[in-house]
Amino acid sequence: MSVADAQVQGADRTSDLSDRDRRILDFERTWWKLQGSKEQAIRETFDLSSTRYYQALNSLIDTPGALAYDAMLVKRLQRLRAGRMRQRTARRLGFDQGEKA
């Protein structure tokens, strides 16, 4: 596959994203620049509760379109999510994350 073919295929995947999906990814890239809490900005920007926003974001970062739109951001969000899942599992099982096996 040539570079041009890969670019066209990536552009096709990003066209699968809705306007809201793109806005969510753009927001995740820049939310820390906003004043006030992230939860408040989510409510004002998307008219969603934080829970609904994070549900949408977690579904979104698993799509090929999101990865094609902003791979670095999506990979970072996936790593953060995986780390939180490991911490929750460790707490549930009674392990201290600081312990070495």
Side-chain angles (χ1 to χ4, degrees), residues 7-40:
Q7 289 173 338
V8 168
Q9 189 176 17
D12 289 344
R13 286 187 182 147
T14 61
S15 66
D16 292 343
L17 294 178
S18 69
D19 182 51
R20 184 184 88 153
D21 292 344
R22 286 186 192 89
R23 288 178 42 230
I24 287 174
L25 292 172
D26 293 341
F27 178 83
E28 276 301 309
R29 191 180 316 108
T30 61
W31 70 265
W32 53 272
K33 295 179 183 178
L34 304 173
Q35 291 185 350
S37 71
K38 184 176 183 181
E39 288 71 24
Q40 179 184 357

Side-chain angles (χ1 to χ4, degrees), residues 24-81:
I24 287 174
L25 292 172
D26 293 341
F27 178 83
E28 276 301 309
R29 191 180 316 108
T30 61
W31 70 265
W32 53 272
K33 295 179 183 178
L34 304 173
Q35 291 185 350
S37 71
K38 184 176 183 181
E39 288 71 24
Q40 179 184 357
I42 289 168
R43 170 111 21 224
E44 291 171 359
T45 304
F46 300 102
D47 195 30
L48 293 173
S49 69
S50 295
T51 302
R52 291 286 180 207
Y53 172 82
Y54 287 115
Q55 288 171 342
L57 177 63
N58 277 312
S59 295
L60 178 60
I61 64 174
D62 290 328
T63 65
L67 191 61
Y69 184 73
D70 192 337
M72 190 180 300
L73 172 69
V74 169
K75 291 290 188 180
R76 181 174 59 83
L77 294 172
Q78 289 172 337
R79 277 193 312 275
L80 290 170
R81 179 180 63 185

